[in-house]
Amino acid sequence: IESLKMEPLADVAMLPGEERVIDKDIIYICPFNAAVKGKVFITNYRLYFKNTDSTPVTLDVPLGVISRVEKMGGASSRGENSYGLEITCKDMRNLRFALKQEGHSRRDIFEIIFKYAFPLSHGMQLFAFLSQEKYEENGWNVYEAMEEYRRQVLPNSEWRVTFINKNYELCDTYPTILVVPYKATDEDLRRVAAFRSRCRIPVLSWFHKENHAVIMRCSQPLVGMSGKRNKDDERYLDLIREANGTTKLTIYDARPNVNAVANKATGGGYEGDDAYQNAELVFLDIHNIHVMRESLKKLKDIVYPNVEESHWLSSLESTHWLEHIKLVLSGAIQVADKVSSGSSVVVHCSDGWDRTAQLTSLAMLMLDSYYRTLRGFQVLLEKEWISFGHKFASRIGHGDKNHADQDRSPIFLQFIDCVWQMTKQFPTAFEFNERLLVVILDHLYSCRFGTFLYNCESARESNNVRGKTVSLWSFVNSDTSLYINPFFTPESSRVLYPVASMRHLELWVTYYIRWNPRILHQQQSPVEQRYKELLAVRDQYLKKLEELQLSDSTHLTNSSTPNAATPNQHITHLQTPF
Amino acid sequence: MLSLGSVGAKSTKPSFVSYVTPEEIKLEKEPPKKLKHPDLLPGEVEFCSANPILKYTQDDLSQRGVFGTLFCTNFRITFISDEKSQEETTKTFKNKLYGENDIPLMFVDHIYGVYDEKRKLITGALVKNKYPSKIIIHCKDLRVFQFCLTYTKEEDAKKIFQGIAHHCLEEKSLKCVFAFSYTGTPSPEMQRKRETILFDSPEDWTQEMKRTKANCRLVTENENFELSQRLPKYFVIPSALGDLFSYQGKGFPIWCWSHYSGCALFKASLPPVTQEDGDFQKHFDIMINAVAHNYLYSAKTEDLSESLPTIQDIQQSYNKFKQFFLIENSTDFWLSDMKWFSSLESSGWLDIIRQCLQKAVEVVECLEKDNTNVLITEEEGTDLCCVISSLVQIMLDPYYRTLMGFQSLVQKEWVAGCHAFLDRCNHLHQKDKECYSPVFLLFLECVWQLVQQHSPAFQFSETYLTVLSDSVHMPVFSTFLFNSAHHRESVLKHQRQLSLPSTAFKTPFKKGFFKDETDSLKKMLRVKRLSRWMGSPDSTAAISREFYESWQQRPLDYHGLLLPCLDGPAVRVWMQRYLRWIPEVHILGGGSVAVMTKLMELLSQVQDLKRVLEQRDSSQAAKPDHRPYIQHRLLSFGSSGRLPSSFPFAYSRNRSFKPIIPTGLMQCLMLTDSLASQEDEASSFVSLV
């Protein structure tokens, strides 16, 4: 297979389409050891460092994770290793390199890293468009909107599929296929769009097969200072409520109350009591993207390069990172609880692409066991995050040199952290493991796959992402065994409510502190290892038994032993005699 | 609740050793109670009772509850519901000695009374004819009970309140402890092949010296406590130590453990302070010299009372810490949630755990890396010395990570080693709180951190440690009831003395290797060695960091040296112990219990298959196998994910999913003999939790 043919670059296998740009002798100032002499290789995809002295250190950093490159020290700086480069990464680490002070030795490498790490700022293409990787699986087929809606038993007598947005005319940040109340006409939708920020009207995210309650997502209503009302929007929300006979529609506004009020000044706002008589509004007090960005920055300060020692717990608390996680999770729990009790809900924040995506996708993860499978989780991300326009390009800043851009925010990371917290609390409920979550985050930044590029479907379509890049799911699904949780026990009907208490929330050490060699990193938990060993023993016994039964049936032609074909049948058969 | 072996094996007074024997776990099918009286233990006597009493349920905000009868006996406070509790019928795992609604008197930590909406701490002194409308009981195992007395006749309410207050709070004599009334006898099935070593006989000590190839001298002169009542009956000292009677019973370097290299760990109380300064120094020098003589003439000494928190610090810290878990209602719980991490930090409890582990690592480094003898000292030599020496031995010696080994260690360092359990646990509610301090719990906390970080290296699980931490206050066992070996013997006089004639023992081993060295050389060596140890705290921290890192870089050997990671995120709260009774944090179908259930299911499948295969083999050889099947095979598939994370301690009620409780799970949670012996002989130490 061609995808496996890779050129050697020092010790690392280059990707098809990857090209070497420069090699250079350099000193890596490792914060955990000391300065390490070695060689750095820059390709159009990665920065690779290998020691040449005795300290075994390698670095393999996709250029996409770099958010900032700076020169450190000047030609006249004193002190050892004071002249070089400082690289800030998006994945919770910084890299420092030192070079010889003579002859502007860092100029070429600085410029090359700057250019290749931020290709979009230099009129170049992201690596995903240059990659020639090929996989047997095509990850772009993982999510087909119609297929997913059909899985949810949609459309039906209460909900219809509309193609009103087929050319992104109704809303340019929504996908083309939308599910809306059966009774709402396309004309109604257009009028509602006029009253919703960026035309992101309430559309269906998830349908409860038993009680027919729904999760709807949207942006804030354009109430403004004057407290404008819109009869069509009011009627539309009532249609949502009526669809399954919910007595009072619950509107979850993800923002803190004060922020929602403040949004009125810029034309936004929230659904008022008098205008929406059959609805109740609940504020979930989740802060905005700027607060989250600062929180993560503080977290990085206390874990990299060294873990804060003397006041670890109060330092951790002062970052508020886990507190935000708690609020997001408890918001999602409220949504899931409401829906499972039979009431339909509407979820929005300001624009409906950050906090809203977090809440709906987490609630769906709690309500629907399908999303807890490896494939289902991919569908969930494709649907709630990618197709509904979470602004990945703006939030991550793929290939963009403006590291201080105010649009940057770790909203998606925060969501993945919430998922991780759930997998910790329910170790048997998820088909995928922690490794999948880390791989997703690594490739959120790497720009190797097209999955997380661009802000919305319409931009992805006009740039032909599906045609020109490889999906992350092609990579993942070509070797799923790496991402399978052996303890997974499928349970279809159970709602999973995590405990959103600080007592249970913990810092995801294996992600946030993974660069620190002092922190214990168990590749595989000992219990998991033992479990896998036992699985192997079981399979061995089963095989032996099957062989014996086979030889029995050849010896005794009138044997009544059923010839069980699968291990499970064996087990049930074996259970009964005892 | 846990179903546990109930009574002791060796002596008439049971010990925790025989108490926690997972092999004996049996399912107990209890007949439904008709009589509204408690099932009394042998020797238990009912004092008073009152009905109707409303017991508040902790599960929700609304102050709902159940009516029933409250009893006070010489063993416990117990509540018996008028309704037939559902738990009683569904619960398979329960503690054999006390149930969900039982509070053994020694478990009572504090009692609060609510008078006209005001909450007051009840102390021993009571105002006659006044009783609260509600009593709130905080237990040492962190349960919280709330009883409402307003529905009861005034006379009964007064009687039960005064009875409870009297029996739980008044200073009492040791003879009043239930252990002396308890008449239960060990059942024959309690006899086990492998016994915990109790270290109450000279043989136990010689055996231990032999096991660790120690080159020390057994002291039998204290058999009748002539040397000191604060010293163990038998103990081991450096062979170079001379006349014991000149020490006034203090300042002996007592041998704890020998490293395979020959160097050893010793602990000592400080020499009497009444002596002149010069005498003190002289005495100290003799002590160190004797220790140094043990191996290659090097010794390091560390005064733990200077480098670690005092027992009062420990007590204060724990008092703050435990408050965060004595949750009376949901509102309090969520209010305290936001400041959770800083609250934890302000108690300083985790930091004390870290400091103890850090100190133990430093001692381990001396023994393992420098092969230097170590002498740890402390005023009494029976508190932090026990913590550190036990931790060092667990880190260095895999034997102490087995169940029997661990129990033997507790016997060696703590019980035979004269830790003052009675005073430290304040079993008798003495008003003088100075001597009360949860030192033994601190040790268990440190062990838990190690178990948490390296669970496969231990044969026992965290559940074992949690049950052990409770059983310290269980007045049925004598193990944790006394202040010293002498105390134990003088109280339990009727017991058979386990001593042997001292002639059975040889006199001291040959004199030290460096006997002929000149004094100056000794002094020089010692000063050099000591100076490094006494270096600034920063430098020792940096050095042990290096030691940890080099250990960490090597492949982890569960049968070898074990070190804890002490970075901020690595030192954690013992969730099982502290959160088990708080319904708000129970994860239904989650937590590590869910994984264990899966593991048990698979294990039972494997065992069934193995049995079927064996039977086929034996049927061909015409030898049918009638061995009883292992209980946990009864696990129903698909039941996994239904247990609350607080299993096997608390059960959540009022949830949409009533958990189905599989049987036999405790076997796996506590011990994995069956697994270890069948599948993988090489890893008999491996625990599953």
Side-chain angles (χ1 to χ4, degrees):
Chain A
I1 305 155
E2 210 186 343
S3 66
L4 295 174
K5 225 167 74 189
M6 289 169 182
E7 275 184 69
L9 166 107
D11 297 341
V12 75
M14 291 222 302
L15 299 170
E18 186 174 357
E19 283 168 14
R20 279 157 90 151
V21 183
I22 193 175
D23 300 353
K24 202 169 184 81
D25 288 325
I26 211 161
I27 294 163
Y28 167 51
I29 303 168
C30 176
F32 310 111
N33 296 304
V36 184
K37 273 193 193 141
K39 206 170 183 101
V40 70
F41 305 86
I42 310 291
T43 73
N44 54 355
Y45 172 65
R46 78 183 90 205
L47 178 158
Y48 185 81
F49 171 86
K50 172 116 184 69
N51 64 298
T52 49
D53 67 11
S54 57
T55 325
V57 174
T58 53
L59 287 173
D60 187 3
V61 187
L63 295 175
V65 310
I66 295 175
S67 73
R68 185 180 192 180
V69 189
E70 285 172 296
K71 291 175 180 166
M72 173 182 81
S76 56
S77 292
R78 280 151 191 263
E80 207 185 350
N81 299 332
S82 60
Y83 175 82
L85 301 175
E86 172 135 31
I87 297 174
T88 311
C89 297
K90 295 167 183 172
D91 62 353
M92 305 297 284
R93 60 179 158 169
N94 299 335
L95 307 169
R96 290 172 70 202
F97 294 102
L99 291 109
K100 286 200 204 78
Q101 254 155 320
E102 308 87 52
H104 306 289
S105 62
R106 72 179 169 195
R107 188 188 285 163
D108 51 351
I109 191 157
F110 174 79
E111 278 166 8
I112 279 164
I113 293 174
F114 200 73
K115 196 165 130 191
Y116 283 91
F118 310 122
L120 295 186
S121 303
H122 294 89
M124 293 169 20
Q125 280 190 305
L126 292 168
F127 179 74
F129 289 92
L130 306 169
S131 168
Q132 302 293 315
E133 287 184 85
K134 288 189 174 56
Y135 294 95
E136 283 177 24
E137 283 272 327
N138 184 357
W140 294 123
N141 296 334
V142 161
Y143 176 65
E144 293 296 342
M146 275 314 293
E147 204 181 302
E148 164 60 12
Y149 287 125
R150 267 197 296 273
R151 189 192 66 83
Q152 294 191 25
V153 215
L154 295 163
N156 54 36
S157 60
E158 296 147 21
W159 300 92
R160 70 184 183 94
V161 171
T162 174
F163 300 96
I164 187 176
N165 203 35
K166 121 182 129 210
N167 298 314
Y168 306 103
E169 281 160 344
L170 179 81
C171 171
D172 60 356
T173 57
Y174 263 2
T176 53
I177 297 171
L178 300 171
V179 175
V180 295
Y182 191 82
K183 288 182 182 160
T185 65
D186 282 0
E187 200 39 52
D188 292 336
L189 301 181
R190 282 194 192 92
R191 285 199 294 262
V192 172
F195 191 62
R196 289 280 162 177
S197 173
R198 300 179 200 264
C199 306
R200 293 171 67 94
I201 61 166
V203 292
L204 184 143
S205 271
W206 191 76
F207 177 78
H208 195 296
K209 282 175 205 165
E210 277 88 48
N211 63 34
H212 292 204
V214 294
I215 299 176
M216 304 292 285
R217 62 181 292 171
C218 60
S219 60
Q220 62 181 338
L222 298 173
V223 174
M225 291 299 270
S226 56
K228 275 199 292 279
R229 286 180 60 166
N230 181 310
K231 286 283 168 206
D232 296 297
D233 193 72
E234 290 163 26
R235 194 180 144 261
Y236 184 73
L237 288 198
D238 219 41
L239 288 179
I240 295 168
R241 182 187 65 78
E242 274 173 16
N244 82 328
T246 298
T247 43
K248 226 169 170 65
L249 182 71
T250 310
I251 303 169
Y252 288 102
D253 188 326
R255 301 165 293 184
N257 193 345
V258 279
N259 296 34
V261 173
N263 258 289
K264 285 186 173 180
T266 51
Y270 53 90
E271 293 82 355
D273 285 347
D274 36 341
Y276 298 84
Q277 302 246 334
N278 293 322
E280 63 166 339
L281 183 66
V282 178
F283 292 103
L284 294 177
D285 298 321
I286 302 167
H287 285 280
N288 63 28
I289 61 166
H290 311 293
V291 173
M292 302 310 178
R293 183 179 56 236
E294 288 314 302
S295 175
L296 185 67
K297 204 188 236 167
K298 282 186 198 154
L299 182 62
K300 185 173 175 176
D301 286 344
I302 65 161
V303 299
Y304 191 90
N306 294 310
V307 179
E308 167 70 38
E309 290 228 356
S310 48
H311 298 286
W312 164 250
L313 288 172
S314 53
S315 304
L316 181 62
E317 185 172 281
S318 69
T319 69
H320 299 294
W321 183 254
L322 289 175
E323 214 172 300
H324 295 313
I325 298 274
K326 170 181 165 169
L327 283 169
V328 173
L329 274 175
S330 51
I333 291 167
Q334 290 175 59
V335 172
D337 185 40
K338 193 57 100 179
V339 171
S340 72
S341 71
S343 297
S344 290
V345 303
V346 173
V347 181
H348 71 72
C349 46
S350 299
D351 290 314
W353 49 43
D354 292 310
R355 286 166 277 195
T356 301
Q358 290 180 330
L359 291 168
T360 57
S361 53
L362 285 169
M364 286 156 78
L365 206 56
M366 292 171 198
L367 289 161
D368 192 336
S369 62
Y370 170 67
Y371 298 124
R372 295 174 221 143
T373 63
L374 183 60
R375 194 50 84 103
F377 189 64
Q378 296 169 12
V379 168
L380 183 70
L381 297 186
E382 286 283 349
K383 179 179 187 300
E384 287 304 296
W385 290 85
I386 299 167
S387 83
F388 274 96
H390 172 67
K391 302 207 295 175
F392 281 104
S394 304
R395 296 290 174 259
I396 308 302
H398 295 126
D400 182 1
K401 66 175 180 179
N402 298 313
H403 60 85
D405 192 314
Q406 291 297 299
D407 258 353
R408 305 273 184 273
S409 189
I411 300 301
F412 185 72
L413 165 65
Q414 190 173 52
F415 159 73
I416 294 289
D417 194 333
C418 291
V419 176
W420 180 81
Q421 303 284 352
M422 284 182 68
T423 62
K424 283 295 276 186
Q425 294 192 16
F426 298 99
T428 60
F430 293 81
E431 191 190 16
F432 53 88
N433 58 16
E434 183 181 41
R435 185 169 182 163
L436 178 77
L437 300 179
V438 174
V439 163
I440 287 171
L441 290 177
D442 281 347
H443 294 296
L444 171 66
Y445 307 120
S446 77
C447 298
R448 175 172 160 190
F449 302 105
T451 302
F452 298 117
L453 302 183
Y454 299 102
N455 281 334
C456 56
E457 284 289 285
S458 60
R460 247 165 250 131
E461 205 165 282
S462 58
N463 286 286
N464 194 13
V465 170
R466 275 176 171 246
K468 290 184 172 170
T469 70
V470 176
S471 161
L472 171 60
W473 315 128
S474 304
F475 170 74
V476 167
N477 295 340
S478 294
D479 191 359
T480 52
S481 64
L482 291 172
Y483 311 107
I484 296 293
N485 168 20
F487 299 114
F488 176 56
T489 315
E491 269 191 283
S492 53
S493 60
R494 201 152 76 97
V495 188
L496 225 55
Y497 294 119
V499 175
S501 157
M502 299 311 271
R503 270 85 161 178
H504 271 305
L505 299 181
E506 50 181 301
L507 186 71
W508 187 6
V509 168
T510 40
Y511 180 75
Y512 297 110
I513 321 186
R514 64 175 160 156
W515 310 118
N516 189 326
R518 273 181 62 80
I519 298 291
L520 274 181
H521 294 295
Q522 278 168 337
Q523 281 304 309
Q524 206 171 37
S525 87
V527 181
E528 189 176 329
Q529 214 167 319
R530 172 49 65 97
Y531 192 76
K532 285 183 170 169
E533 284 165 21
L534 273 174
L535 279 175
V537 172
R538 185 192 68 180
D539 292 346
Q540 192 193 321
Y541 283 169
L542 279 172
K543 213 178 132 204
K544 214 187 272 174
L545 197 65
E546 212 164 325
E547 282 167 10
L548 283 168
Q549 282 175 338
L550 215 66
S551 68
D552 281 358
S553 55
T554 50
H555 289 307
L556 311 160
T557 41
N558 60 346
S559 165
S560 60
T561 313
N563 204 351
T566 67
N568 277 337
Q569 280 172 304
H570 262 305
I571 298 304
T572 39
H573 168 65
L574 291 170
Q575 284 306 299
T576 40
F578 317 131
Chain B
M1 294 283 172
L2 310 182
S3 173
L4 295 164
S6 61
V7 284
K10 188 162 182 175
S11 64
T12 51
K13 288 300 160 203
S15 70
F16 89 91
V17 165
S18 47
Y19 165 55
V20 199
T21 47
E23 296 100 314
E24 275 92 57
I25 289 160
K26 285 271 154 36
L27 303 178
E28 260 200 338
K29 201 72 180 174
E30 281 202 326
K33 286 192 195 78
K34 292 250 161 58
L35 285 167
K36 296 291 178 190
H37 271 277
D39 295 332
L40 299 176
L41 287 176
E44 188 177 0
V45 180
E46 204 179 297
F47 288 146
C48 51
S49 64
N51 181 296
I53 297 283
L54 182 67
K55 174 186 175 258
Y56 293 112
T57 52
Q58 243 189 309
D59 274 12
D60 49 1
L61 256 172
S62 62
Q63 295 266 284
R64 292 185 324 107
V66 271
F67 281 104
T69 315
L70 194 60
F71 296 89
C72 182
T73 75
N74 58 345
F75 167 52
R76 61 186 158 157
I77 301 164
T78 182
F79 175 83
I80 293 178
S81 167
D82 290 341
E83 301 156 34
K84 192 164 171 272
S85 157
Q86 273 182 302
E87 271 73 30
E88 292 301 323
T89 54
T90 53
K91 241 187 245 172
T92 327
F93 293 100
K94 61 190 286 277
N95 194 304
K96 275 188 173 168
L97 294 168
Y98 65 99
E100 182 189 30
N101 287 321
D102 292 330
I103 313 165
L105 300 179
M106 266 160 57
F107 272 43
V108 174
D109 196 5
H110 287 113
I111 300 179
Y112 297 90
V114 179
Y115 299 88
D116 312 319
E117 305 291 303
K118 272 188 220 136
R119 208 176 110 141
K120 275 187 200 154
L121 178 69
I122 309 287
T123 52
L126 294 172
V127 184
K128 277 240 162 153
N129 297 323
K130 225 182 151 204
Y131 67 94
S133 56
K134 183 173 157 187
I135 50 177
I136 303 167
I137 301 177
H138 287 186
C139 299
K140 287 182 175 167
D141 65 349
L142 304 150
R143 287 183 295 171
V144 175
F145 289 88
Q146 301 186 50
F147 298 108
C148 177
L149 305 182
T150 47
Y151 302 92
T152 323
K153 271 191 293 181
E154 196 183 316
E155 198 182 316
D156 287 349
K158 234 185 275 173
K159 223 195 296 175
I160 192 84
F161 170 65
Q162 285 172 354
I164 288 171
H166 176 78
H167 292 292
C168 298
L169 302 174
E170 291 285 315
E171 200 169 327
K172 58 181 168 189
S173 84
L174 184 58
K175 286 284 177 196
C176 294
V177 171
F178 179 66
F180 297 94
S181 313
Y182 183 61
T183 53
T185 46
S187 50
E189 74 216 55
M190 290 289 164
Q191 304 303 329
R192 293 178 314 278
K193 288 174 288 179
R194 288 175 299 160
E195 282 281 0
T196 298
I197 300 163
L198 296 178
F199 288 94
D200 56 358
S201 71
E203 293 91 340
D204 290 350
W205 286 100
T206 11
Q207 186 54 41
E208 178 73 353
M209 277 199 282
K210 218 162 146 192
R211 193 183 70 82
T212 61
K213 299 189 176 63
N215 187 22
C216 295
R217 174 185 140 202
L218 179 79
V219 176
T220 52
E221 285 91 330
N222 203 37
E223 214 159 45
N224 300 314
F225 303 104
E226 282 161 358
L227 286 170
S228 165
Q229 298 185 350
R230 288 290 307 143
L231 281 172
K233 203 171 158 79
Y234 305 101
F235 54 94
V236 176
I237 57 168
S239 42
L241 208 62
D243 173 27
L244 292 173
F245 285 89
S246 65
Y247 292 82
Q248 302 175 4
K250 291 202 95 186
F252 290 119
I254 294 178
W255 174 80
C256 302
W257 183 79
S258 283
H259 186 255
Y260 66 84
S261 67
C263 63
L265 173 65
F266 298 88
K267 61 180 176 183
S269 57
L270 288 174
V273 279
T274 47
Q275 294 187 354
E276 302 279 309
D277 278 351
D279 283 356
F280 182 87
Q281 191 54 49
K282 202 175 120 204
H283 191 121
F284 204 78
D285 285 350
I286 294 169
M287 206 155 76
I288 293 172
N289 275 319
V291 167
H293 253 107
N294 183 63
Y295 175 73
L296 288 181
Y297 211 88
S298 66
K300 290 174 188 173
T301 176
E302 172 79 358
D303 186 2
L304 298 178
S305 41
E306 280 186 7
S307 54
L308 288 177
T310 64
I311 60 162
Q312 285 80 22
D313 294 339
I314 292 166
Q315 191 223 340
Q316 276 170 16
S317 171
Y318 182 68
N319 272 348
K320 268 192 220 160
F321 179 76
K322 74 178 177 199
Q323 294 307 324
F324 306 137
F325 305 96
L326 293 161
I327 303 285
E328 284 168 26
N329 58 57
S330 236
T331 323
D332 286 357
F333 175 83
W334 290 109
L335 272 177
S336 56
D337 205 46
M338 273 306 177
K339 289 284 158 210
W340 176 242
F341 290 119
S342 49
S343 305
L344 279 185
E345 189 173 282
S346 71
S347 76
W349 182 245
L350 292 179
D351 201 49
I352 290 175
I353 293 168
R354 189 197 322 270
Q355 287 179 52
C356 289
L357 284 165
Q358 175 65 41
K359 187 56 70 191
V361 171
E362 286 169 25
V363 174
V364 166
E365 186 181 0
C366 291
L367 295 163
E368 172 79 11
K369 195 170 138 232
D370 307 338
N371 297 150
T372 304
N373 298 299
V374 177
L375 172 67
I376 48 177
T377 61
E378 189 190 12
E379 183 61 40
E380 290 292 329
T382 51
D383 289 305
L384 289 163
C385 276
C386 298
V387 175
I388 302 302
S389 70
S390 314
L391 288 174
V392 167
Q393 293 174 65
I394 289 170
M395 289 179 198
L396 280 164
D397 192 339
Y399 166 64
Y400 293 122
R401 298 176 215 145
T402 64
L403 186 64
M404 290 304 148
F406 181 75
Q407 293 182 166
S408 302
L409 181 68
V410 169
Q411 283 291 139
K412 181 169 93 167
E413 293 296 326
W414 296 84
V415 180
C418 296
H419 173 68
F421 279 105
L422 185 69
D423 289 347
R424 296 292 176 256
C425 301
N426 198 16
H427 286 320
L428 305 180
H429 307 287
Q430 278 149 338
K431 295 290 170 277
D432 170 27
K433 294 272 173 92
E434 276 293 284
C435 53
Y436 165 58
S437 184
V439 181
F440 185 65
L441 176 65
L442 174 63
F443 162 64
L444 296 181
E445 284 263 14
C446 293
V447 176
W448 181 84
Q449 301 290 341
L450 282 160
V451 170
Q452 176 72 9
Q453 291 184 19
H454 308 289
S455 60
F458 290 85
Q459 195 188 24
F460 50 88
S461 70
E462 67 163 344
T463 305
Y464 168 79
L465 290 174
T466 304
V467 174
L468 180 54
S469 74
D470 291 342
S471 56
V472 170
H473 306 287
M474 191 65 203
V476 165
F477 314 119
S478 64
T479 305
F480 306 118
L481 211 49
F482 302 104
N483 277 332
S484 65
H486 170 258
H487 188 209
R488 171 183 304 272
E489 289 216 348
S490 60
V491 174
L492 304 175
K493 263 183 203 124
H494 60 278
Q495 268 199 268
R496 185 174 62 93
Q497 296 284 308
L498 286 163
S499 62
L500 284 175
S502 54
T503 46
F505 291 92
K506 295 188 179 72
T507 35
F509 290 88
K510 63 178 170 114
K511 290 281 160 76
F513 185 65
F514 279 101
K515 179 74 179 148
D516 301 328
E517 297 263 8
T518 61
D519 274 343
S520 62
L521 176 60
K522 288 181 200 168
K523 217 160 219 160
M524 203 185 72
L525 271 168
R526 189 177 75 232
V527 168
K528 201 173 143 204
R529 296 290 198 151
L530 287 176
S531 62
R532 209 209 104 188
W533 179 275
M534 300 291 193
S536 71
D538 289 344
S539 69
T540 52
I543 289 161
S544 25
R545 172 171 282 247
E546 213 175 87
F547 178 61
Y548 175 79
E549 277 171 5
S550 69
W551 171 79
Q552 199 201 16
Q553 275 159 19
R554 294 198 296 270
L556 184 54
D557 173 13
Y558 289 126
H559 304 284
L561 173 66
L562 207 63
L563 294 181
C565 177
L566 298 176
D567 282 328
V571 179
R572 307 161 68 120
V573 173
W574 185 354
M575 304 264 270
Q576 187 191 52
R577 175 174 155 82
Y578 292 104
L579 298 181
R580 57 193 157 146
W581 313 115
I582 305 174
E584 282 81 1
V585 291
H586 294 171
I587 310 166
L588 187 62
S592 57
V593 173
V595 168
M596 295 320 300
T597 315
K598 284 290 286 181
L599 201 57
M600 287 304 304
E601 287 173 11
L602 181 59
L603 194 59
S604 71
Q605 280 184 28
V606 168
Q607 284 169 342
D608 285 346
L609 281 168
K610 192 179 153 93
R611 207 169 289 280
V612 168
L613 284 169
E614 277 173 2
Q615 276 179 340
R616 291 188 65 111
D617 284 351
S618 57
S619 68
Q620 274 156 15
K623 264 194 288 173
D625 181 11
H626 292 304
R627 275 182 291 170
Y629 293 114
I630 293 159
Q631 283 156 6
H632 59 235
R633 202 190 38 70
L634 292 169
L635 273 171
S636 58
F637 297 102
S639 68
S640 67
R642 296 296 187 188
L643 288 168
S645 55
S646 56
F647 180 86
F649 295 99
Y651 292 83
S652 303
R653 276 145 290 192
N654 308 334
R655 298 286 172 113
S656 46
F657 301 103
K658 192 81 193 162
I660 300 159
I661 296 147
T663 55
L665 204 72
M666 276 311 295
Q667 275 191 329
C668 180
L669 288 169
M670 305 279 290
L671 244 193
T672 61
D673 270 0
S674 50
L675 171 65
S677 60
Q678 287 184 28
E679 261 66 57
D680 187 0
E681 276 117 330
S683 56
S684 57
F685 290 163
V686 173
S687 106
L688 289 170
V689 176

